[in-house]
Every structure is written in structure tokens, then in C-alpha cells.
């Protein structure tokens, strides 16, 4: 299990990934409580594009080779 505090401590970011339209957007981590579990966040979220509730919240790492954050998908 991963908490919001874990993600912050490691300097990682969170994104919402839609299983229906494949939109991927970074989430503002400041909106979640430090003790919240990443695994639980998707329950309260839905895709802002297609409104599908079948979204995942994923932890994103910088690309190891380029140092860039992966691009969002709209
Ligand atoms: Zn969607």
C-alpha cells in the first residue's frame, strides 16, 4: 500500500488514467490527505473527459533516461 506521504517523500507524481478513453492527466497531490492510500483514490474519481468511473490512479516516475515527466494524454 502506498500513501500520499510516500509519493511526496519520493518526489513522484500521481496521475489519473482512464481505462475507457485513455486520457491521462497529472493530479494535484495537494488535494489529498497525506495518510490517504493511492489505491483508494480512484474510487472517488471519474474521467473529466468521458465521465467514465473506470479510472486508475497511478504513481508516475520521471523517465530514467531523459529526466522528463511522461506526457499527458488527452
Ligand atoms: Zn475517459
Amino acid at each position: 500500500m502506498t500513501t500520499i506521504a510516500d509519493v511526496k517523500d519520493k518526489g513522484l507524481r500521481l496521475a489519473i488514467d482512464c481505462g475507457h478513453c485513455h486520457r491521462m492527466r497529472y493530479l494535484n497531490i495537494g488535494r489529498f490527505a497525506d495518510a490517504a492510500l493511492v489505491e483508494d483514490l480512484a474510487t472517488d474519481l471519474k474521467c473529466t473527459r468521458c465521465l467514465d468511473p473506470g479510472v486508475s490512479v497511478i504513481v508516475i516516475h520521471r523517465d530514467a533516461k531523459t529526466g522528463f515527466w511522461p506526457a499527458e494524454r488527452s
Side-chain angles (χ1 to χ4, degrees), residues 40-52:
D40 290 344
L41 300 179
T43 310
D44 297 327
L45 298 173
K46 62 185 176 190
C47 179
T48 52
R49 178 169 175 241
C50 72
L51 303 182
D52 195 279

Side-chain angles (χ1 to χ4, degrees), residues 1-72:
M1 301 296 254
T2 306
T3 64
I4 296 298
D6 293 334
V7 177
K8 287 182 183 169
D9 287 349
K10 292 175 186 163
L12 304 177
R13 296 172 76 182
L14 289 178
I16 181 171
D17 188 47
C18 177
H20 182 72
C21 73
H22 302 291
R23 184 178 194 265
M24 190 278 267
R25 290 284 154 156
Y26 286 103
L27 291 166
N28 176 5
I29 202 168
R31 64 190 270 200
F32 304 111
D34 278 350
L37 293 171
V38 171
E39 291 82 354
D40 290 344
L41 300 179
T43 310
D44 297 327
L45 298 173
K46 62 185 176 190
C47 179
T48 52
R49 178 169 175 241
C50 72
L51 303 182
D52 195 279
V55 294
S56 306
V57 173
I58 51 179
V59 178
I60 305 284
H61 301 247
R62 279 179 197 273
D63 185 283
K65 282 187 191 153
T66 66
F68 288 111
W69 292 100
E72 294 179 309

